[in-house]
């Protein structure tokens, strides 16, 4: 192993450049802290994106031998293991901005219903923070990244005074809202990290609906444009690209002292020294680094004397149900692109309707893909062929409505990632094995998720496309991994405190989804940003006080 | 007559015709079947939209689908599909509607057709992925409260 001694020890090293890594870099540099950020890839250039290619233009480009930018990490390059019969889809983006380049932009606040629920239902540990601790940070995040939404405010989904105007719902979404209201279910404006008004030097959305390919004008929050660029302009941010972080180095006091990484292409091993390490490599990758950081003092990985790290991986169950609303059948297709994805959201209601349930926690519902889409995927499930079939497809096309409930998976101790006995990757670093399955709790919840969306569709008198009741999407495909390095008040049952600081290693912070003790029913990114902002404020204070 | 029987029969046929039969021209079959799935109406059909060529390009990257598709087309060829009348062709396709081959060719036809300007824009009326200053959303009073 060749060790190149770097010339200095950085004040802070950040691993990862997604929502969490970008927020850490932005918040620390603006407070005068000099930071080195290691990113596993390189910058994705907006000028390379194929955002506005029509399906036929896309095909023509491919035929000419051109290729769109590659966001998603190839599992050939970095495999992972799962036990037989327990598949898990791990989706990773290695490059500046990480998954925020192509994320779903759903920006929902957690609430005290979520933070205190484990204390009320007794399953595992509660969060060590409450809404009042995070609320000021949610406010700041809303203003920093630009979140559009409504003026609604309720226990499960606290309101915000800082929303940009919400985009008008599509016809199908309005009809879902009306139908749901008729059966006592509230559907509110969606909250999305997409600009409907200019924000600083970021232009507002122009409603092309192609966000999933990367936005070539940067009209939705992504870490690269919104956090790393301003951080870089402070002159206090150094970025090393193509740096695949492997292990955190430990000194003889048991503190983190640096990072071992490998140059992505050449495989050259390097080490950088740092006085504080902030891990933000995305839930599974962050914990993999910690588990691989073994030493005499930390035989199970740095900061893992209590065997918490790697455990309590929780994701969300999700399913899709589609229908066709009668009011829109046979009408002329509209441009339903909007801000790409839903303009409405159904908050969880299961905690307050007074009904007893045979499962814990709950689900919310999203509405992705209502109205005219850039494909006719649903046609594959319309029987028949010929003129009648063709006419039937056209008649239904503008009337499509789509409902996707997301349900909270409980944190189970044995749902975990581990590096014990796994093969090594191309750099000689053990890969992860992901051991994850859902339990009876989630299966029962999935039943009610189906019943709820079916009830809404029936109330709308929609033609419901047949679906298998209780069947959920591939585990992992929601791309909302939480846990494996959870925060908590009790150092025996958690790895981090409420400031994402390791209980055992006080100069080590883990600021991404790995820190979450529960999954909740909502998308995590907004909360990752808020928690990381709060954690790095704390880190900056501790640094000034000389305590870290 | 299934494929194995066909090949056994062809083994008795002179070399030239046999070579020709072993490399059946699937293109006209593919064109006919896809055009029966999505025919021309007041808007272009699958053949008009260039669907056969698109399907051929798609299956180049999917070897399993390519084999399945070719096997199914060869089976239709063995049944002299192109020589049947249109009602007979439709009846034959209806008789195999639940087979994996038909599901595959129907899915491919759908993917291909509704990714063309003829299918997506002209037939369905899609006019998205464009630049709007404001998004009007639903403007129908009758869809609200």
């Amino acid at each position: 192993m060749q060790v190149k001694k770097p010339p200095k020890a950085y004040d802070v090293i950040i691993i990862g450049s997604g929502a969490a890594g970008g927020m850490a870099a932005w918040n620390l540099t603006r407070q005068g802290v000099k930071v080195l950020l290691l990113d596993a890839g390189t910058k994705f250039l907006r000028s390379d994106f194929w955002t506005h290619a029509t399906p036929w233009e896309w095909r023509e480009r491919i035929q000419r031998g051109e290729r769109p930018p590659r966001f998603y990490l190839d599992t050939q390059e970095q495999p992972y293991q799962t036990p037989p019969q327990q598949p898990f889809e791990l989706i990773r983006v290695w490059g500046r901005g990480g998954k925020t380049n192509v994320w779903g932009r759903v920006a929902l606040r957690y609430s005290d219903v979520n933070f205190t629920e484990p204390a009320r239902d007794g399953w595992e540990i509660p969060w060590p923070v409450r809404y009042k601790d995070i609320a000021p940070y949610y406010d700041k995040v809303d203003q920093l990244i630009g979140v559009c939404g409504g003026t609604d405010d309720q226990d499960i989904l606290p309101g915000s005074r800082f929303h940009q105007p919400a985009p008008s719902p599509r016809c199908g979404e309005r009809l879902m809202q009306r139908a749901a209201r008729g059966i006592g279910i509230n559907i509110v404006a969606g909250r999305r990290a997409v600009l409907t008004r200019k924000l600083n030097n970021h232009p507002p959305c122009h409603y092309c609906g192609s966000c999933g390919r990367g936005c070539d004008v940067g009209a939705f929050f992504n870490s690269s444009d919104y956090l790393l660029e301003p951080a870089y302009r402070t002159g206090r941010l150094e970025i090393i690209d193509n740096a695949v972080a492997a292990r955190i180095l430990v000194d003889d006091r048991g503190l983190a002292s640096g990072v071992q990484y490998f140059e992505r292409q050449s495989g050259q091993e390097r080490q950088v020294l740092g006085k504080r390490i902030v891990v933000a490599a995305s839930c599974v990758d962050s914990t993999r680094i910690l588990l691989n950081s073994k030493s005499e003092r930390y035989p199970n990985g740095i900061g893992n004397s209590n065997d918490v790290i790697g455990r309590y991986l929780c994701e969300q169950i999700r399913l899709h149900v589609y229908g066709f609303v009668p009011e829109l059948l046979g009408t002329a297709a509209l441009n339903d692109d909007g801000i790409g994805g839903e303009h409405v959201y159904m908050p969880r209601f299961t905690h307050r309707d007074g009904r007893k349930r045979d499962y814990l926690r709950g689900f919310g519902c999203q509405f992705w893909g209502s109205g005219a889409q850039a494909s006719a995927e649903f046609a594959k499930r319309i029987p028949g062929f010929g003129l009648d079939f063709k006419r039937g497809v056209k008649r239904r096309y503008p009337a499509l409505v789509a409902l996707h409930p997301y349900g909270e998976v409980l944190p189970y101790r044995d749902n975990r990632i581990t590096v014990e006995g796994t093969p090594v990757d191309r750099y000689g670093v053990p890969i992860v094995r992901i051991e994850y399955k859902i339990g009876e709790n989630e299966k029962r919840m999935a039943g009610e998720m189906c019943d709820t969306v079916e009830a809404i569709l029936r109330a709308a008198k929609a033609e419901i496309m047949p679906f298998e009741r209780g069947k959920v999407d591939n585990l992992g495909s929601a791309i909302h991994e939480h846990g494996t390095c959870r925060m908590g008040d009790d150092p025996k049952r958690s790895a981090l405190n409420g400031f994402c600081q390791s209980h055992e290693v006080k100069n080590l912070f883990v600021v991404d989804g790995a820190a979450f003790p529960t999954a909740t029913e909502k998308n995590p990114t907004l909360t990752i940003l808020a928690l990381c902002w709060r954690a790095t404020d704390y880190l900056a204070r501790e640094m000034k006080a000389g305590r870290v | 007559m299934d494929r194995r029987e066909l090949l056994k029969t062809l083994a008795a046929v002179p070399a030239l015709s046999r070579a020709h039969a072993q490399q059946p021209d699937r293109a006209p079959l593919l064109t006919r079947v896809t055009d029966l799935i999505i025919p021309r109406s007041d808007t272009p059909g699958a053949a008009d939209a260039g669907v056969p060529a698109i399907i051929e390009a798609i299956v180049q990257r999917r070897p399993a689908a390519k084999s399945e598709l070719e096997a199914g087309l060869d089976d239709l060829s063995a049944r002299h599909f192109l020589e049947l009348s249109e009602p007979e062709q439709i009846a034959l396709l209806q008789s195999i509607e639940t087979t994996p081959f038909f599901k595959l060719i129907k899915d491919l036809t759908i993917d291909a057709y509704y990714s063309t300007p003829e299918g997506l824009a002209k037939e369905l009326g899609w006019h998205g992925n464009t630049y709007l200053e404001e998004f009007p959303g639903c403007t129908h009073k009758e869809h609200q409260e």
Side-chain angles (χ1 to χ4, degrees):
Chain A
M1 182 177 75
Q2 188 181 40
V3 174
K4 263 181 155 169
K5 282 268 182 299
K8 62 173 176 178
Y10 290 89
D11 283 343
V12 177
I13 300 177
I14 299 172
I15 304 173
S17 70
M23 170 58 79
W26 177 82
N27 194 33
L28 290 171
T29 53
R30 76 192 186 104
Q31 297 188 46
V33 179
K34 292 224 205 70
V35 159
L36 168 69
L37 186 144
L38 302 175
D39 182 56
T42 55
K43 189 167 176 167
F44 298 104
L45 294 177
R46 287 210 300 269
S47 49
D48 289 344
F49 296 174
W50 287 15
T51 314
H52 297 108
T54 59
W56 47 96
E57 284 166 358
W58 188 285
R59 183 175 32 253
E60 282 156 26
R61 293 188 195 187
I62 300 279
Q63 271 161 11
R64 284 201 297 267
E66 297 169 34
R67 290 293 176 267
R70 205 207 167 95
F71 291 106
Y72 296 100
L73 177 63
D74 188 348
T75 50
Q76 303 270 38
E77 182 182 343
Q78 274 289 328
Y80 60 94
Q81 271 189 345
T82 52
Q85 264 82 56
Q86 273 185 228
F88 189 91
E89 274 181 32
L90 181 65
I91 314 288
R92 291 165 290 180
V93 175
W94 280 12
R96 294 247 199 116
K99 294 194 287 284
T100 64
N101 285 286
V102 288
W103 69 303
R105 291 101 55 215
V106 179
L108 301 164
R109 295 188 177 202
Y110 290 9
S111 66
D112 272 337
V113 175
N114 303 113
F115 293 133
T116 64
E117 195 146 25
R120 283 177 287 113
D121 65 20
W123 186 278
E124 283 299 328
I125 62 172
W127 289 68
V129 298
R130 294 293 172 268
Y131 185 71
K132 66 167 172 42
D133 305 313
I134 311 297
Y137 289 95
Y138 278 136
D139 287 345
K140 296 202 273 199
V141 168
D142 281 352
Q143 294 171 82
L144 175 67
I145 72 173
V147 175
C148 66
T151 53
D152 52 285
D153 178 23
Q154 56 185 288
D155 60 351
I156 190 68
L157 186 63
S160 169
R161 286 166 290 137
F162 303 101
H163 284 155
Q164 293 196 338
S168 202
R170 303 147 176 117
C171 298
E173 291 172 325
R174 278 259 186 258
L175 293 164
M176 291 293 97
Q177 264 181 322
R178 189 176 70 184
R181 194 173 310 112
I183 56 172
I185 292 176
N186 191 26
I187 295 177
V188 300
R191 299 182 188 186
R192 309 288 306 284
V194 179
L195 300 181
T196 53
R197 293 288 179 269
K198 189 172 188 299
L199 181 70
N200 302 324
N201 58 332
H202 306 294
C205 178
H206 56 263
Y207 312 105
C208 76
S210 294
C211 331
R213 304 169 180 187
C215 176
D216 60 4
V217 300
F220 68 74
F221 165 71
N222 71 82
S223 172
S224 184
D225 294 322
Y226 286 56
L227 299 173
L228 293 176
E229 284 298 310
Y232 192 74
R233 284 197 297 272
T234 64
R236 298 184 201 107
L237 173 63
E238 187 183 331
I239 299 181
I240 300 182
D241 284 335
N242 290 314
V244 181
R247 297 178 177 88
I248 295 163
L249 310 173
V250 171
D251 68 18
D252 45 27
R253 294 169 297 160
L255 291 172
S257 62
V259 178
Q260 175 203 42
Y261 71 90
F262 291 85
E263 284 175 0
R264 188 168 176 184
Q265 275 79 35
S266 74
Q268 179 71 46
E269 191 255 356
R270 301 227 180 274
Q271 295 190 0
V272 279
L273 299 184
K275 298 182 191 153
R276 299 112 193 145
I277 313 294
V278 175
V279 188
S282 171
C283 180
V284 171
D285 275 350
S286 286
T287 302
R288 176 189 177 205
I289 291 167
L290 297 175
L291 291 175
N292 275 324
S293 304
K294 294 183 189 189
S295 57
E296 223 181 280
R297 186 188 289 255
Y298 304 116
N300 291 319
I302 185 170
N304 192 24
S305 302
N306 56 12
D307 189 26
V308 165
I309 295 182
R311 295 189 180 277
Y312 307 106
L313 172 64
C314 37
E315 219 243 336
Q316 287 161 350
I317 49 171
R318 179 192 60 191
L319 49 100
H320 305 271
V321 178
Y322 299 93
F324 306 98
V325 283
E327 291 86 348
L328 300 178
L329 286 171
T331 58
L334 300 177
N335 180 348
D336 288 315
D337 285 346
I339 60 170
E342 72 246 4
H343 293 184
V344 295
Y345 176 67
M346 186 205 84
R348 175 181 162 193
F349 58 84
T350 55
H351 59 295
R352 62 171 148 76
D353 65 358
R355 269 184 48 207
K356 257 196 166 338
R357 286 172 168 83
D358 58 358
Y359 64 86
L360 303 177
R361 312 288 159 88
F363 60 91
C365 189
Q366 297 182 21
F367 299 80
W368 206 279
S370 293
Q373 305 297 299
S375 73
E377 194 64 27
F378 72 86
K380 295 176 181 173
R381 293 165 54 193
I382 307 291
F385 62 92
L387 275 174
D388 280 348
F389 165 78
K390 185 184 182 186
R391 276 195 284 264
V393 171
K394 181 186 165 108
R395 192 172 131 75
R396 288 179 175 86
Y397 173 72
L400 181 68
V401 289
L403 297 89
H404 327 287
Y406 282 71
E408 176 175 352
V409 177
L410 289 174
Y412 296 105
R413 187 169 185 275
D414 291 336
N415 275 354
R416 63 174 191 150
I417 72 161
T418 178
V419 296
E420 295 315 310
T422 59
V424 296
D425 67 4
R426 58 179 57 190
Y427 312 113
V429 182
I431 65 174
V432 290
R433 183 168 64 255
I434 304 176
E435 298 170 3
Y436 182 84
K437 52 184 195 255
I438 59 174
E440 274 315 304
N441 189 74
E442 289 76 42
K443 290 178 186 153
R444 292 183 196 132
M445 189 191 301
E448 187 175 355
M449 283 158 66
C450 291
D451 293 344
T452 302
V453 298
E454 197 173 10
I456 295 173
L457 287 168
R458 265 194 261 109
K461 301 198 173 31
E463 173 195 350
I464 304 175
M465 281 187 59
F467 64 95
E468 195 181 322
R469 187 181 182 277
K471 179 168 190 281
V472 299
D473 291 345
N474 293 342
L475 302 182
S477 65
I479 322 184
H480 293 160
E481 301 94 55
H482 318 70
T484 69
C485 191
R486 68 183 186 182
M487 57 165 67
D489 285 321
D490 183 354
K492 288 199 287 295
R493 305 189 63 200
S494 59
L496 312 171
N497 63 23
F499 294 106
C500 299
Q501 179 185 37
S502 164
H503 287 302
E504 277 193 86
V505 186
K506 67 176 184 183
N507 67 341
L508 176 66
F509 287 72
V510 182
V511 292
D512 56 27
F516 286 36
T518 72
T520 86
E521 80 287 0
K522 302 196 239 332
N523 313 52
T525 305
L526 193 74
T527 305
I528 288 173
L529 289 166
L531 284 173
C532 179
W533 194 328
R534 182 171 179 269
T536 46
D537 270 356
Y538 167 83
L539 170 57
R541 278 200 304 276
E542 293 292 284
M543 283 171 69
K544 280 205 189 75
R547 285 191 291 266
V548 169
Chain B
M1 189 192 292
D2 75 6
R3 190 162 195 233
R4 242 179 285 120
E5 279 179 57
L6 172 65
L7 289 174
K8 273 198 277 186
T9 310
L10 291 173
V13 167
L16 185 63
S17 332
R18 192 187 330 142
H20 194 265
Q22 278 171 357
Q23 294 288 324
D25 189 1
R26 298 182 182 104
L29 270 162
L30 183 61
T31 302
R32 186 64 188 138
V33 175
T34 55
D35 218 36
L36 284 168
I37 294 174
I38 302 184
R40 186 188 298 163
S41 53
D42 55 345
T43 60
D48 301 321
V51 160
I54 295 172
I55 289 179
E56 274 167 22
I58 291 173
V59 299
Q60 285 315 316
R61 299 190 300 274
R62 293 171 50 188
K66 188 168 192 282
S67 311
E68 170 108 59
L69 182 69
E70 288 175 349
L73 291 173
D74 290 346
D75 174 71
L76 291 178
S77 169
R79 302 204 214 185
H80 307 287
F81 188 78
L82 291 175
E83 289 140 53
L84 300 173
S85 70
E86 182 164 308
E88 287 170 332
Q89 289 176 332
I90 291 173
L92 202 164
L93 291 182
Q94 281 168 342
S95 77
I96 60 166
E97 216 177 317
T98 56
T99 62
F101 160 67
F102 189 80
K103 289 198 186 112
L104 172 67
I105 195 169
K106 180 177 165 181
D107 280 3
L108 288 168
T109 305
I110 287 166
D111 276 338
Y113 179 73
Y114 294 111
S115 75
T116 61
E118 293 85 354
L120 187 63
K122 210 164 165 60
E123 163 65 7
L124 293 182
W126 176 81
H127 51 282
N129 197 349
T130 185
Y131 182 101
L132 298 178
E133 294 257 2
E134 293 292 338
F135 181 72
C138 176
T139 54
H140 305 91
K141 264 213 298 277
E142 67 270 25
H143 296 163
Q144 325 281 356
E145 315 288 333

